[in-house]
């Protein structure tokens, strides 16, 4: 699975430099020139990480970071703040606003890509291609293989993405709308009950291996993947 990085930067040359290096580093890149434009992308589909410039026209990067941290849907979005400021107190302000890391301009593109990888490894190990294992059920994001013991579990593409989403967010209750947004992207027109169809198929595929009970129905709300 290729992580999607949203870059919000108003200086075209820096935006271009970031995009080229991130693409070269194996990431999908979406670009925005303002906090408002960035927010509209985030509303359409959550990126896996945000590179956010501090000094933006109209709304600042710090103000946007605080807004994202106070919203349930975006509070766990990894954020790297980018800025020309070098003072220690600004760094503290940035980290207090909820940034995971802080890169000062001018930066080395190689170092920035390394920081992106480090933040993803820490905040979202599955995006770094590492295998996820819960109670003997293993999912490998790099090879798209799902296994139980030495047996391979065959899943359709939607069921694989759904299982990936659930296994990387265990113990949380997900509404159908959240699953649609996270698994299919909410810009895609799919009815909420379609989620139930895919959950049923996923449970059926896991049943022969005894993992179907991990997907719990939370009455009136949605679904939870049992992580213990
Ligand atoms: Ca700027």
């Amino acid at each position: 699975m290729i992580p999607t990085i949203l870059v919000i930067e108003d200086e075209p040359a820096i935006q271009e430099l970031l995009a080229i290096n991130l693409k070269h580093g194996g990431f999908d890149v979406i670009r925005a020139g303002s906090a408002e434009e960035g927010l509209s992308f985030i509303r359409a589909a959550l990126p896996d990480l945000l590179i956010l410039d501090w000094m933006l026209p109209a709304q600042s990067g710090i103000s946007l970071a605080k807004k994202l941290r106070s919203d349930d849907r975006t509070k766990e979005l990894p954020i790297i703040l980018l800025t020309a400021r070098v003072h220690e107190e600004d760094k503290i302000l940035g980290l207090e606003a909820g940034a995971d890391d802080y890169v000062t301009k001018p930066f080395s593109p190689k170092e920035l890509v390394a920081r992106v990888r480090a933040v993803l490894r820490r905040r979202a190990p599955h995006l770094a291609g590492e295998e996820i294992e819960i109670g003997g059920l293993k999912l490998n994001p790099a090879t798209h293989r799902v296994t139980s013991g030495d047996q391979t579990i065959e899943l359709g593409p939607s069921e694989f993405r759904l299982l990936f989403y659930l296994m990387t967010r265990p113990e949380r209750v997900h509404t159908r709308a959240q699953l649609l947004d996270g698994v299919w992207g909410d810009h895609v027109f799919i009815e909420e009950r379609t989620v139930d169809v895919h959950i049923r198929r996923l449970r059926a595929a896991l049943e022969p291996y005894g993992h179907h009970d991990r997907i719990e129905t939370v009455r009136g709300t949605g679904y939870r993947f049992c992580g213990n």
Side-chain angles (χ1 to χ4, degrees):
M1 252 171 235
I2 299 174
T4 302
I5 315 287
L6 173 62
V7 173
I8 307 183
E9 163 64 77
D10 59 318
E11 286 161 69
I14 298 178
Q15 195 194 78
E16 180 75 14
L17 180 72
L18 285 166
I20 288 172
N21 282 282
L22 288 166
K23 277 182 195 158
H24 197 72
F27 299 105
D28 272 342
V29 182
I30 300 169
R31 312 183 198 189
S34 68
E36 291 68 26
E37 196 189 349
L39 254 184
S40 71
F41 282 121
I42 292 169
R43 281 197 198 102
L46 263 184
D48 296 303
L49 184 141
L50 171 62
I51 295 180
L52 179 60
D53 187 31
W54 183 315
M55 299 297 280
L56 291 168
Q59 190 179 165
S60 76
I62 286 280
S63 152
L64 178 63
K66 282 184 181 158
K67 197 177 283 179
L68 294 172
R69 284 293 174 259
S70 65
D71 182 336
D72 262 357
R73 185 169 166 264
T74 52
K75 69 179 177 200
E76 292 184 46
L77 174 64
I79 299 173
I80 296 179
L81 259 188
L82 201 60
T83 176
R85 300 176 185 224
V86 290
H87 302 299
E88 199 57 33
E89 59 264 37
D90 290 335
K91 230 172 243 194
I92 292 163
L93 259 183
L95 296 172
E96 275 177 353
D100 293 272
D101 202 356
Y102 190 101
V103 174
T104 307
K105 293 177 192 173
F107 54 87
S108 128
K110 260 190 189 160
E111 190 200 331
L112 185 97
V113 171
R115 297 272 197 106
V116 167
R117 290 216 175 89
V119 168
L120 284 176
R121 253 198 312 277
R122 192 168 74 234
R123 296 286 310 277
H126 53 282
L127 289 173
E130 284 163 30
E131 188 175 72
I132 311 154
E133 198 248 306
I134 295 177
L137 180 63
K138 288 183 185 171
L139 183 148
N140 187 316
T143 61
H144 276 220
R145 271 190 81 199
V146 178
T147 52
S148 176
D150 55 3
Q151 291 176 294
T152 299
I153 304 176
E154 298 295 339
L155 295 178
S158 289
E159 284 69 48
F160 178 85
R161 291 211 306 274
L162 181 58
L163 181 63
F164 176 81
Y165 186 89
L166 291 169
M167 285 183 80
T168 51
R169 296 158 184 85
E171 292 305 315
R172 272 190 259 166
V173 179
H174 308 284
T175 64
R176 288 168 180 82
Q178 282 168 338
L179 290 172
L180 273 183
D181 182 16
V183 178
W184 287 273
D186 65 359
H187 52 288
V188 179
F189 183 77
I190 306 175
E191 286 181 73
E192 289 197 4
R193 66 171 174 226
T194 308
V195 172
D196 301 334
V197 173
H198 289 288
I199 289 276
R200 261 204 303 280
R201 284 189 198 151
L202 179 56
R203 277 186 178 137
L206 297 178
E207 190 166 11
Y209 310 92
H211 296 295
H212 57 293
D213 286 344
R214 294 204 167 268
I215 303 172
E216 298 169 346
T217 302
V218 181
R219 200 178 289 271
T221 311
Y223 297 100
R224 173 172 53 213
F225 191 86
C226 175
N228 325 307

